[in-house]
Amino acid sequence: MSRLRAGWSFLAAAALVAVAAYFAGAQPPFSLVLWFLAVLAVLVREPAPPRMQEEPTERMEAVEATLSQVESVLGALDLPVVVIDGDATVLAQNKAAEKAFGPLLSGLHISTRWRSPGILDMIRETIETGEPNQIEHSERLPSERVYIVRSAQVEKLAGALPQLFLLSFRDISELRRLDRMRSDFVANASHELRTPLASLRGFIETLQGPARGDPKAQERFLAIMLDQATRMSRLVDDLLSLSRLELKAHIAPDQTVDLIPVLGHVRDSLAPLAADLGVDIRLHLPEGKVEVLGDRDELVQVFENLMENGCKYGQEGKVVDVYLRHGDGAPVEVSVVDHGPGIPAEHVPRLTERFYRVSVADSRSKKGTGLGLAIVKHILTRHRARLIVRSEMGKGTDFTVRF
Ligand code: ADP
């Protein structure tokens, strides 16, 4: 059928040539000869090679079947993976890749999505040598992320399928963030310890030198030295607390703790400090018991930090109110409310970061280490509880623990 159609088109073309030759001035016999020659050419021309239509279709179907198998295996992976062929054309992507990078159009070159020369060179090298490669690559959108991108050749699959290559993307943004946090933390901790240490060294040198025979100066300097040494040991205690809490961060506490005596105990232990600052800590507690699953000592530490902050930073409000609320089905909540100057809104989200302070000078003058709320947050995370901070400038601050 198709051969016949091809023959007819040759005949029609030959007729056109003959008619054109006639109009161009050729004698009718000459155009008849042309016509005759064209017909002859059609009859004796080589038979058309047999059409290969069936074979590529079968092959395409086989490729697609294999690709869909590969896709369903890769679909179970939470690592983004893109499958390409030896021309770096995208053939498939798994769900994780679609989630991370959006849908990729199969059949297009990989450079339509990743133009970074690093990635393209790496892919070219893997395709040429068959050796796996990897590079670090950052994506800016939709959010800043860092990936280790790896290209590798897939062992040849059964059948005459194209050679497949896999691109996998390991997200190391979180690791990088933790690394940065850790090194910031060491830098901050060293800085916090170095300041009192430098001051201690200075006073020791003064006592050994100019103040050697001056008992009054000696007394004054020794008092300051004691203060600095106490500050260092407070800092070391807080650092140790944090590292102990980190070690057991994933173990939820299983004791039952009644919050009413805990809050009473904290109020009593802070009474001397509150009296010094002229602040009254008022407890507003319900009758009976209010129990939560927790670690008593750690909960004491949480409420000590919150009430102490309320007294120190909300001193001018003169009163710190502590409310314990619970009800049918409602979560147990403890709110520590001061009536001090409040915290500017831009600082609130960062208060629980280690060493974060609204005012470093203010915190130091109040014997703060900048670690109190970081410890609170760690303890509450272990207790599956949340810290909610509401603050209004000029009115005060409310730190609520919701269990
Ligand atoms: P510090 O040891 O400095 O008190 P925290 O982690 O306990 O460290 O608190 C971090 C910072 O949060 C404090 O330095 C202070 O600036 C601010 N802050 C905490 N509680 C209050 C509060 N009740 N009122 C105002 N500011 C507060």
Side-chain angles (χ1 to χ4, degrees):
M1 192 57 194
S2 58
R3 174 103 195 271
L4 208 63
R5 220 179 292 129
W8 275 113
S9 51
F10 265 92
L11 282 177
L16 263 180
V17 171
V19 171
Y22 175 75
F23 280 110
Q27 290 303 307
F30 176 65
S31 43
L32 272 179
V33 169
L34 260 180
W35 166 253
F36 175 73
L37 283 176
V39 171
L40 206 66
V42 169
L43 292 179
V44 300
R45 90 193 150 85
E46 293 227 329
R51 288 233 158 181
M52 300 289 288
Q53 251 179 3
E54 264 62 59
E55 208 188 302
T57 314
E58 268 171 27
R59 190 170 129 75
M60 288 295 291
E61 277 169 6
V63 169
E64 265 163 31
T66 315
L67 276 179
S68 90
Q69 278 178 14
V70 169
E71 251 177 337
S72 53
V73 172
L74 296 180
L77 266 182
D78 64 350
L79 183 76
V81 175
V82 175
V83 185
I84 56 172
D85 66 10
D87 295 326
T89 300
V90 174
L91 298 179
Q93 73 179 133
N94 68 353
K95 287 221 170 54
E98 191 173 333
K99 196 166 153 216
F101 311 118
L104 304 177
L105 282 182
S106 56
L108 290 187
H109 194 265
I110 192 80
S111 60
T112 51
R113 174 60 179 82
W114 284 282
R115 285 198 208 103
S116 132
I119 293 195
L120 297 178
D121 288 348
M122 173 188 73
I123 294 174
R124 195 174 315 118
E125 214 179 301
T126 298
I127 292 175
E128 278 168 18
T129 63
E131 291 299 316
N133 279 308
Q134 62 178 45
I135 59 158
E136 192 177 308
H137 166 75
S138 305
E139 291 265 320
R140 304 230 179 293
L141 293 169
S143 60
E144 180 95 32
R145 306 219 72 85
V146 187
Y147 292 96
I148 297 288
V149 188
R150 185 172 190 273
S151 56
Q153 179 175 307
V154 178
E155 284 283 312
K156 193 97 175 105
L157 297 171
L161 293 167
Q163 177 65 61
L164 301 183
F165 298 86
L166 286 195
L167 289 183
S168 54
F169 298 77
R170 189 154 53 88
D171 191 343
I172 54 163
S173 323
E174 192 57 19
L175 274 179
R176 280 288 147 83
R177 197 181 64 81
L178 288 176
D179 267 1
R180 213 169 27 238
M181 262 178 64
R182 215 163 278 279
S183 64
D184 283 357
F185 175 63
V186 172
N188 279 327
S190 319
H191 176 76
E192 292 291 328
L193 283 169
R194 211 169 47 198
T195 317
L197 258 181
S199 144
L200 275 177
R201 274 185 67 155
F203 283 117
I204 291 169
E205 279 164 16
T206 316
L207 288 175
Q208 285 172 333
R212 190 184 280 270
D214 183 347
K216 267 203 159 154
Q218 279 175 5
E219 200 178 323
R220 198 155 54 86
F221 292 159
L222 284 170
I224 301 174
M225 287 166 72
L226 180 64
D227 221 40
Q228 296 293 0
T230 316
R231 180 175 152 198
M232 282 172 64
S233 63
R234 254 198 326 264
L235 191 66
V236 171
D237 286 348
D238 279 357
L239 287 173
L240 286 174
S241 261
L242 263 180
S243 89
R244 266 195 303 268
L245 284 167
E246 270 185 347
L247 281 181
K248 51 182 178 176
H250 303 292
I251 312 163
D254 54 4
Q255 300 162 26
T256 305
V257 182
D258 181 2
L259 290 176
I260 291 181
V262 166
L263 294 173
H265 166 81
V266 174
R267 199 257 318 258
D268 294 346
S269 69
L270 287 176
L273 173 87
D276 276 356
L277 295 169
V279 176
D280 188 12
I281 302 179
R282 292 185 192 153
L283 299 185
H284 307 269
L285 308 175
E287 295 289 319
K289 286 182 172 186
V290 179
E291 289 180 330
V292 292
L293 277 184
D295 176 312
R296 185 187 175 276
D297 292 347
E298 287 182 10
L299 291 177
V300 164
Q301 214 177 345
V302 165
F303 296 119
E304 236 167 36
N305 270 316
L306 295 180
M307 287 191 217
E308 190 179 324
N309 279 352
C311 295
K312 285 192 312 192
Y313 300 107
Q315 185 185 3
E316 62 186 59
K318 305 240 177 280
V319 174
V320 169
D321 288 301
V322 181
Y323 300 91
L324 172 55
R325 287 180 287 260
H326 73 123
D328 283 339
V332 174
E333 284 187 348
V334 179
S335 300
V336 178
V337 183
D338 69 60
H339 308 279
I343 306 170
E346 67 271 23
H347 295 287
V348 170
R350 301 194 57 189
L351 291 178
T352 55
E353 285 177 24
R354 294 157 186 201
F355 296 115
Y356 190 85
R357 288 172 274 206
V358 175
S359 151
V360 175
D362 193 25
S363 156
R364 290 221 175 113
S365 71
K366 291 178 163 129
K367 302 190 193 318
T369 60
L371 293 173
L373 291 178
I375 292 175
V376 166
K377 187 186 156 200
H378 264 77
I379 296 177
L380 294 184
T381 306
R382 190 166 108 77
H383 281 72
R384 313 284 184 262
R386 282 178 62 202
L387 181 68
I388 300 153
V389 186
R390 299 185 199 93
S391 190
E392 212 176 317
M393 294 303 287
K395 290 212 166 154
T397 309
D398 169 343
F399 283 88
T400 292
V401 175
R402 180 176 294 164
F403 288 91

